[in-house]
Amino acid sequence: MPPWMPSQDSLPMQHDRSLSEYDIAVIAAWMEAGAPSGEAGDYVEPEAHYNLAEVRADQILQLDEGYMPEEGVDDDYRCFAFTPDVDVPVFLTGYDFLPDVAAQVHHGIVYLVDDSALADITRNDGADGRPGWSCYTGTGVNSSREEFVGTWAPGTLPTLFPAGTGYKVLPDDIFIVQIHYNLLQGRQADRTAVHMQYEAGDSDLLKLATFELQGPVEIPCPTGVEGEQCEREWAIQRATELYGENWINFRPDHLLNECGQTITDYADNVGEDATTHCDYDIPLPLTVLGAFGHLHELGKSFQLELNPDTDDALMVLDIPAWDFHWQDRYQFQEPLQVTFGDVLRMTCNWDNTLSDDPRYVVWGEGTRDEMCFATLMVIDPRP
């Protein structure tokens, strides 16, 4: 059974797979007794505690031929465009992201863009003689409407959106699937697939939208590790050379400025326990249905908290023991209502001693870089 990462301090979640205190005590007592075998005749099959969502494959987004990731790099971000197989508007009500070569698929994102992106897609797609196009930090195309409708990272399960909701998809829209290939374990042709489930566009469904949150990443070298690679400016120069102009919105000073901070706010950060946070002012009343957090392999913990440092503080999502291999898009049992004037704080915590090549780490696209990132699934407030 996949582990359940949110703590009991989080909002109550749908599909909660956590063990009860009684279950934990039974397992602990069994282990303390030496894990004895029971009598085969006494076995009673347990009731199903959790069933995986079954996503209907009304359309499958998949390349006709495998994509061979770029040679000579550790990380390759590639985007692929797919046209919705619909003649009338529909709602996307679920998806299942199925990595082909799982060892090299770090994460995937499904974007929905309108046809204003068609010129850029036509120009970029296959321009280097290979399927798709390179796309660090987003889709790499301009569009008047871009929606983040699906995400996958190790541990993400098949996803059905909350009952009565979906993302509106028009016949002229375009899906862009961005896949981050991490190639430290090798390089193979990949045909990752995404199953898409639709409902009729004239259904009485509420339209979904996604809010994205980014926070600073400032992770010093562990105590006792010294050298040029432990300098912040070295880390910034490295990321600039790797990611170029596309990285501009994730430059460390830009992220700090967006969060109303400076680097001096993190003067006491140490590599063994590096923490950053960002407070977001809620701009209008919103109905929030779920949340997703994302760190990389140095992650220790992740939190989203509403109105921190007040009497009304509410922990939305608390993952106290981060595991890169078990990430999911969590849905609340009851909608969370937030309004203008509320503050949402995202806090990320890392341990740089987990790295086999310690250096100062800033926001970056590679698996050995780090992120402090979240999405909120909300009822679309736009008409």
Side-chain angles (χ1 to χ4, degrees), residues 218 227-241 247 251-253 256 263 360-362:
E218 301 285 348
E228 180 186 36
Q229 78 279 9
C230 294
E231 298 295 328
R232 183 172 185 263
E233 289 307 313
W234 179 91
I236 293 173
Q237 181 62 31
R238 172 187 174 275
T240 302
E241 292 173 357
W247 187 63
R251 291 183 65 86
D253 289 337
L256 288 169
I263 188 57
Y360 197 107
V361 180
V362 295

Side-chain angles (χ1 to χ4, degrees), residues 326-375:
W326 293 107
Q327 304 177 55
D328 210 348
R329 196 174 186 180
Y330 300 103
Q331 298 179 19
F332 309 143
Q333 287 187 11
E334 299 293 338
L336 172 65
Q337 304 295 335
V338 299
T339 191
F340 175 78
D342 283 341
V343 174
L344 185 66
R345 175 175 293 172
M346 176 171 63
T347 302
C348 299
N349 181 240
W350 302 273
D351 180 359
N352 206 355
T353 65
L354 299 175
S355 173
D356 58 6
D357 182 24
R359 54 181 169 81
Y360 197 107
V361 180
V362 295
W363 180 290
E365 300 288 343
T367 299
R368 290 184 172 181
D369 300 316
E370 271 298 337
M371 292 185 181
C372 181
F373 176 76
T375 64

Side-chain angles (χ1 to χ4, degrees), residues 110-187:
V110 182
Y111 294 93
L112 181 67
V113 299
D114 63 15
D115 59 1
S116 66
L118 186 57
D120 282 352
I121 292 173
T122 302
R123 181 175 59 254
N124 294 342
D125 196 4
D128 60 1
R130 300 182 298 149
W133 64 95
S134 180
C135 58
Y136 290 94
T137 68
T139 61
V141 301
N142 294 310
S143 64
S144 58
R145 179 171 60 86
E146 179 178 297
E147 195 75 68
F148 187 118
V149 299
T151 185
W152 179 91
T156 303
L157 300 175
T159 298
L160 292 175
F161 300 131
T165 69
Y167 289 93
K168 196 66 173 286
V169 180
L170 304 179
D172 292 335
D173 286 343
I174 303 164
F175 289 116
I176 297 178
V177 179
Q178 182 205 59
I179 300 179
H180 171 191
Y181 294 103
N182 177 256
L183 307 173
L184 296 174
Q185 304 301 320
R187 176 172 165 268

